[in-house]
Amino acid sequence: MTDRATPNRSKAAALRRLLAKPGPIVLAGAHDGLTARLVEEAGFDGVWASGFEISASYGVPDASILTMTETLDAARVMNDAVSIPVIADCDTGFGNSINAIRTVRAFEAAGIAGLCLEDNVFPKRCSFYGGVKRLLTDTDEQVLKIRAAVEAASRDFVVIARTEALIAGWGMDEALRRGRAYADAGADAVLIHSKHGTADEVARFAGEWDRLTPLVCVPTTYKDAGVDELARAGFKMVIFANQGMRASIRAAQETLKALREAGNAAAVDERIVPLTEVYRLVNLGQMKADEREYLPPEVDTVKAVILAAGFDRRLMPLVSDRPKAMLEVKGKPILERQIDALQQAGVRPIAVVRGYKKEQITIPNVRYYDNDAFEESGEIESLLRAGAELSGAVIVMYGDILFDRNILDRLLQSEEDIALVCDRSWPDTRASRDGAAADLVIETPTPRRHHRFLADDQPVRIAAIGQSLDPADATAEFIGMAKLSARGCQILGEVYRDLRERGEAAPLHESPSLRKAKLTDLLHEVITRGHAVGSVGIYQGWLEVDTFDDYRRAWTEVE
Ligand code: SPV
Ligand code: MG
């Protein structure tokens, strides 16, 4: 992230600094992250986490209906959304002094800069509701509550004490008596609330104020009074408590009415912000930057299935205690080398089909499928075990091959639905191959050779595949690595299902039955049925571990 989040701790100190500076501090009310951010953007010094607004946002009156936890949650969301201090309207402190102590601790711990406690009795009623018999707490008890709050807070946290004496109609003298008592109890500021239509009442209070404790006012009903005028009258902090919410209510009411009438969104387009404005307000740009920084690069995800179930007698006793895929070449099993290469190429997830000595394969971050019938079944049966992976693009490879990384890259670039990696060095090297069975292919058109890793000029397809092809006709050798697109998976699935309907016991090309069939048998059937199977031509750069000689070669050739 480009800008480290400001530690919340400092917001109380920031509010203290504002209190110490000359000039008025101006706050505006909010009730959630978005509205708090709007307050900050409009240039206010702080956010008033208004009990009136938070209650309204829940659709309930401002009457001690919400719990401390709900209020704290709302204040925390606001605080997290802004860099300016948040002062939380905590009404009565949610109970007596004991509740107030817990309230202070919880709000301070959340990084809120300060809170306000009023001398209404619990459950409070909004100062502006009519027809309410207003009772105030006993002054001595309220003084204890203010002291409890101040002493529960650490040095920077700001406790504002609010008196409702004027709202309750108890007169200016009572208001001053209470204000002074709260200031003397250690309040950091005193809020004198009034529902008068002019600022005269609060100005008189400020005129008679004889403490150093700064004064706060909320010009909701005396709306003509400006910040400068109130500052001149002696107020250090002015809170515009709910105008933002009232503006949005009117805008939403009018817009929704027009939308309902018109029945199309274009009718209200002029009244609403574009989506991009919402993106900006929620800082989508930062999230995108974080995604680039902290998420793995987006690649079209290709999965892999490694077939490692079989038992190869030719490698006994090397494989008496482990499957072939777990044979180590220079300290690292073949399978682990394959997984490393796949992961480096961005291929994930990787699935391994185990069978023989399956308990020996425990590499982490791999999905496992087991073909416990590995002795009497073939590769197709193993592939089916991992059928859940055969939905999107997938690399299928044998668990006994080692290969240069660029071979995998070439295969990943292929756009064929079914593509096989084919080594075109076969015609040059076949004379030296001592009759070991090779999966031969005949490609068409006959490709040029010696183009080690160059792409073909035109798509080269496979016309036939199998170990029984005439070695003299074969143009290349299938290395045991293939890629299927989603469509390729579908084709393979369709052909397989069709074959199964004919019966699992029927022979399939070079295998005595479908159950014992090799991958090349199914591929050959796919080709026979007219589906295109592409060839990704390479010239060496891989080896298969089938014999002791292969294994020895692996040690000399692998780094
Ligand atoms: C609030 O915003 O909840 C206040 C201020 O306490 S007022 O509603 O004006 O009383
Ligand atoms: Mg309130």
Side-chain angles (χ1 to χ4, degrees):
M1 289 206 294
T2 45
D3 51 338
R4 306 292 297 269
T6 323
N8 283 330
R9 232 182 10 262
S10 64
K11 290 203 192 160
L15 180 56
R16 288 261 169 208
R17 282 195 293 276
L18 287 174
L19 281 165
K21 253 182 30 184
I25 303 168
V26 188
L27 269 57
H31 57 273
D32 59 14
L34 181 64
T35 53
R37 202 159 272 169
L38 293 175
V39 167
E40 178 169 25
E41 274 205 353
F44 287 91
D45 301 309
V47 174
W48 170 248
S50 158
F52 179 87
E53 282 203 17
I54 298 169
S55 300
S57 77
Y58 273 74
V60 300
D62 181 15
S64 291
I65 293 170
L66 297 188
T67 63
M68 189 271 264
T69 317
E70 287 167 321
T71 308
L72 174 59
D73 280 349
R76 194 199 312 272
V77 168
M78 289 182 242
N79 190 48
D80 288 349
V82 297
S83 61
I84 52 176
V86 173
I87 298 180
D89 173 8
C90 285
D91 297 343
T92 63
F94 306 97
N96 64 17
S97 297
I98 306 306
N99 302 94
I101 289 171
R102 181 161 185 262
T103 299
V104 165
R105 290 193 178 138
F107 278 69
E108 180 170 11
I112 316 295
L115 58 66
C116 180
L117 297 175
E118 64 199 35
D119 53 10
N120 275 312
V121 292
F122 182 91
K124 65 83 57 78
R125 293 289 178 268
C126 168
S127 309
F128 305 120
Y129 292 164
V132 174
K133 182 169 160 22
R134 296 197 174 271
L135 289 177
L136 302 186
T137 52
D138 173 71
T139 307
D140 292 343
E141 188 180 347
Q142 190 67 12
V143 160
L144 287 170
K145 189 186 272 186
I146 299 300
R147 239 190 69 211
V150 169
E151 287 171 12
S154 62
R155 198 169 44 96
D156 288 335
F157 192 74
V158 172
V159 175
I160 301 175
R162 156 170 161 180
T163 179
E164 294 279 294
L166 298 177
I167 299 280
W170 287 16
M172 187 59 70
D173 287 348
E174 179 65 10
L176 282 162
R177 202 174 62 78
R178 284 177 173 258
R180 288 177 184 127
Y182 304 158
D184 296 345
D188 297 300
V190 167
L191 191 160
I192 175 67
H193 207 10
S194 161
K195 56 181 178 186
H196 242 250
T198 70
D200 294 354
E201 199 174 48
V202 293
R204 256 182 59 219
F205 182 96
E208 295 196 34
W209 186 241
D210 51 5
R211 297 290 192 274
L212 291 174
T213 309
L215 292 177
V216 184
C217 66
V218 185
T220 302
T221 52
Y222 44 103
K223 46 189 158 213
D224 291 327
V227 171
D228 290 344
E229 175 191 344
L230 292 165
R232 274 196 305 276
F235 287 96
K236 179 66 188 169
M237 188 184 290
V238 177
I239 302 174
F240 293 105
N242 50 42
Q243 287 75 12
M245 172 182 255
R246 287 158 65 191
S248 63
I249 291 173
R250 168 160 300 170
Q253 282 172 332
E254 291 176 355
T255 304
L256 290 168
K257 185 166 178 284
L259 182 59
R260 185 71 183 102
E261 279 165 12
N264 69 79
V268 296
D269 225 27
E270 293 298 310
R271 299 168 182 261
I272 61 180
V273 295
L275 289 172
T276 47
E277 174 62 356
V278 184
Y279 304 161
R280 188 189 67 78
L281 282 164
V282 299
N283 217 346
L284 181 62
Q286 182 65 55
M287 190 189 87
K288 290 199 165 160
D290 288 346
E291 281 180 343
R292 283 191 295 278
E293 187 78 20
Y294 302 121
L295 295 184
E298 273 204 10
V299 281
D300 284 343
T301 55
V302 178
K303 295 177 276 191
V305 175
I306 302 174
L307 302 174
F311 165 66
D312 198 332
R313 197 169 307 282
R314 289 171 294 179
L315 279 165
M316 282 303 269
L318 278 181
V319 294
S320 60
D321 63 344
R322 69 191 67 191
K324 192 156 66 161
M326 291 307 285
L327 280 181
E328 285 184 8
V329 178
K330 295 197 177 157
K332 200 169 193 179
I334 298 171
L335 185 61
E336 221 173 292
R337 290 177 177 276
Q338 294 184 323
I339 290 167
D340 282 355
L342 288 164
Q343 279 173 343
Q344 277 166 27
V347 174
R348 74 174 66 84
I350 297 168
V352 175
V353 184
R354 306 178 296 190
Y356 173 67
K357 300 278 179 204
K358 65 178 180 188
E359 67 287 349
Q360 296 298 318
I361 306 183
T362 55
I363 297 167
N365 298 324
V366 170
R367 297 181 183 175
Y368 289 111
Y369 299 91
D370 293 337
N371 177 10
D372 291 324
F374 63 93
E375 270 171 306
E376 67 269 5
S377 64
E379 288 154 10
I380 297 302
E381 197 65 32
S382 289
L383 190 59
L384 282 176
R385 293 284 170 275
E389 309 292 342
L390 303 179
S391 50
V394 59
I395 302 273
V396 177
M397 69 166 75
Y398 298 154
D400 60 357
I401 57 169
L402 291 161
F403 50 86
D404 284 349
R405 183 43 217 285
N406 42 19
I407 291 178
L408 183 57
D409 292 338
R410 289 277 318 282
L411 180 61
L412 285 167
Q413 283 157 20
S414 165
E415 289 179 359
E416 301 274 3
D417 285 324
I418 304 174
L420 314 186
V421 179
C422 297
D423 181 2
R424 291 179 186 156
S425 73
W426 170 257
D428 302 329
T429 57
R430 75 181 171 96
S432 63
R433 301 284 291 273
D434 50 359
D439 292 326
L440 301 177
V441 297
I442 297 173
E443 299 161 286
T444 175
T446 305
R448 290 184 301 164
R449 301 209 305 277
H450 304 294
H451 283 231
R452 194 173 158 135
F453 294 118
L454 292 183
D456 296 314
D457 301 334
Q458 54 181 318
V460 174
R461 298 270 158 76
I462 292 170
I465 184 168
Q467 297 185 350
S468 53
L469 296 182
D470 183 343
D473 294 341
T475 57
E477 177 182 5
F478 172 50
I479 76 161
M481 191 193 292
K483 185 179 144 216
L484 307 172
S485 67
R487 173 77 191 123
C489 291
Q490 221 174 10
I491 292 169
L492 236 62
E494 280 163 17
V495 172
Y496 173 80
R497 279 190 292 279
D498 193 57
L499 290 169
R500 202 181 45 194
E501 265 169 37
R502 292 190 333 205
E504 290 202 51
L508 183 65
H509 299 287
E510 298 171 345
S511 294
S513 66
L514 181 58
R515 190 155 159 75
K516 284 192 180 296
K518 300 172 295 180
L519 180 60
T520 50
D521 295 320
L522 184 59
L523 289 169
H524 190 76
E525 180 67 18
V526 165
I527 295 164
T528 310
R529 293 181 181 217
H531 298 288
V533 172
S535 163
V536 173
I538 60 162
Y539 197 92
Q540 301 184 334
W542 71 285
L543 61 85
E544 182 180 21
V545 180
D546 273 343
T547 61
F548 278 111
D549 273 354
D550 293 337
Y551 189 46
R552 206 173 300 129
R553 232 179 88 216
W555 276 78
T556 57
E557 292 192 14
V558 167
E559 284 163 11

mmCIF file of all heavy atoms in Angstrom, residues 225 319 357 402 406 423 477 523:
data_model
loop_
_atom_site.group_PDB
_atom_site.id
_atom_site.type_symbol
_atom_site.label_atom_id
_atom_site.label_comp_id
_atom_site.label_asym_id
_atom_site.label_seq_id
_atom_site.Cartn_x
_atom_site.Cartn_y
_atom_site.Cartn_z
ATOM 1 N N ALA A 225 -27.236 30.922 12.835
ATOM 2 C CA ALA A 225 -25.968 31.261 13.486
ATOM 3 C C ALA A 225 -24.813 30.610 12.736
ATOM 4 O O ALA A 225 -24.825 29.403 12.489
ATOM 5 C CB ALA A 225 -25.989 30.783 14.938
ATOM 6 N N VAL A 319 12.216 -49.237 -7.155
ATOM 7 C CA VAL A 319 10.862 -48.803 -6.798
ATOM 8 C C VAL A 319 10.183 -49.780 -5.835
ATOM 9 O O VAL A 319 8.969 -49.850 -5.767
ATOM 10 C CB VAL A 319 9.988 -48.593 -8.073
ATOM 11 C CG1 VAL A 319 10.511 -47.436 -8.894
ATOM 12 C CG2 VAL A 319 9.921 -49.867 -8.903
ATOM 13 N N LYS A 357 2.118 -47.695 -3.842
ATOM 14 C CA LYS A 357 2.817 -47.032 -2.715
ATOM 15 C C LYS A 357 2.327 -45.590 -2.529
ATOM 16 O O LYS A 357 3.128 -44.654 -2.397
ATOM 17 C CB LYS A 357 4.336 -47.038 -2.926
ATOM 18 C CG LYS A 357 4.953 -48.428 -3.048
ATOM 19 C CD LYS A 357 5.191 -49.074 -1.709
ATOM 20 C CE LYS A 357 5.782 -50.463 -1.868
ATOM 21 N NZ LYS A 357 5.529 -51.326 -0.728
ATOM 22 N N LEU A 402 10.870 -35.950 -17.030
ATOM 23 C CA LEU A 402 11.573 -34.720 -16.657
ATOM 24 C C LEU A 402 11.689 -33.898 -17.927
ATOM 25 O O LEU A 402 11.905 -34.456 -19.015
ATOM 26 C CB LEU A 402 12.965 -35.052 -16.110
ATOM 27 C CG LEU A 402 12.933 -35.756 -14.749
ATOM 28 C CD1 LEU A 402 14.241 -36.471 -14.468
ATOM 29 C CD2 LEU A 402 12.637 -34.730 -13.653
ATOM 30 N N ASN A 406 10.771 -24.704 -20.829
ATOM 31 C CA ASN A 406 10.161 -24.075 -22.015
ATOM 32 C C ASN A 406 9.249 -25.024 -22.787
ATOM 33 O O ASN A 406 8.405 -24.586 -23.555
ATOM 34 C CB ASN A 406 11.224 -23.456 -22.938
ATOM 35 C CG ASN A 406 12.411 -24.359 -23.090
ATOM 36 O OD1 ASN A 406 12.307 -25.548 -22.808
ATOM 37 N ND2 ASN A 406 13.524 -23.821 -23.541
ATOM 38 N N ASP A 423 8.197 -35.112 -29.589
ATOM 39 C CA ASP A 423 9.633 -34.912 -29.810
ATOM 40 C C ASP A 423 10.001 -35.356 -31.224
ATOM 41 O O ASP A 423 9.946 -36.544 -31.559
ATOM 42 C CB ASP A 423 10.411 -35.717 -28.759
ATOM 43 C CG ASP A 423 11.917 -35.540 -28.919
ATOM 44 O OD1 ASP A 423 12.347 -34.772 -29.825
ATOM 45 O OD2 ASP A 423 12.659 -36.172 -28.139
ATOM 46 N N GLU A 477 7.855 -38.583 -31.252
ATOM 47 C CA GLU A 477 7.473 -39.409 -30.102
ATOM 48 C C GLU A 477 6.694 -38.533 -29.119
ATOM 49 O O GLU A 477 7.148 -37.432 -28.766
ATOM 50 C CB GLU A 477 8.751 -39.955 -29.435
ATOM 51 C CG GLU A 477 8.474 -40.772 -28.189
ATOM 52 C CD GLU A 477 9.753 -41.265 -27.503
ATOM 53 O OE1 GLU A 477 10.863 -40.880 -27.948
ATOM 54 O OE2 GLU A 477 9.636 -42.010 -26.517
ATOM 55 N N LEU A 523 -6.607 -41.418 -27.078
ATOM 56 C CA LEU A 523 -6.269 -40.341 -28.016
ATOM 57 C C LEU A 523 -6.382 -40.832 -29.462
ATOM 58 O O LEU A 523 -6.874 -40.126 -30.337
ATOM 59 C CB LEU A 523 -4.850 -39.818 -27.729
ATOM 60 C CG LEU A 523 -4.717 -39.017 -26.430
ATOM 61 C CD1 LEU A 523 -3.243 -38.775 -26.097
ATOM 62 C CD2 LEU A 523 -5.464 -37.684 -26.526
#
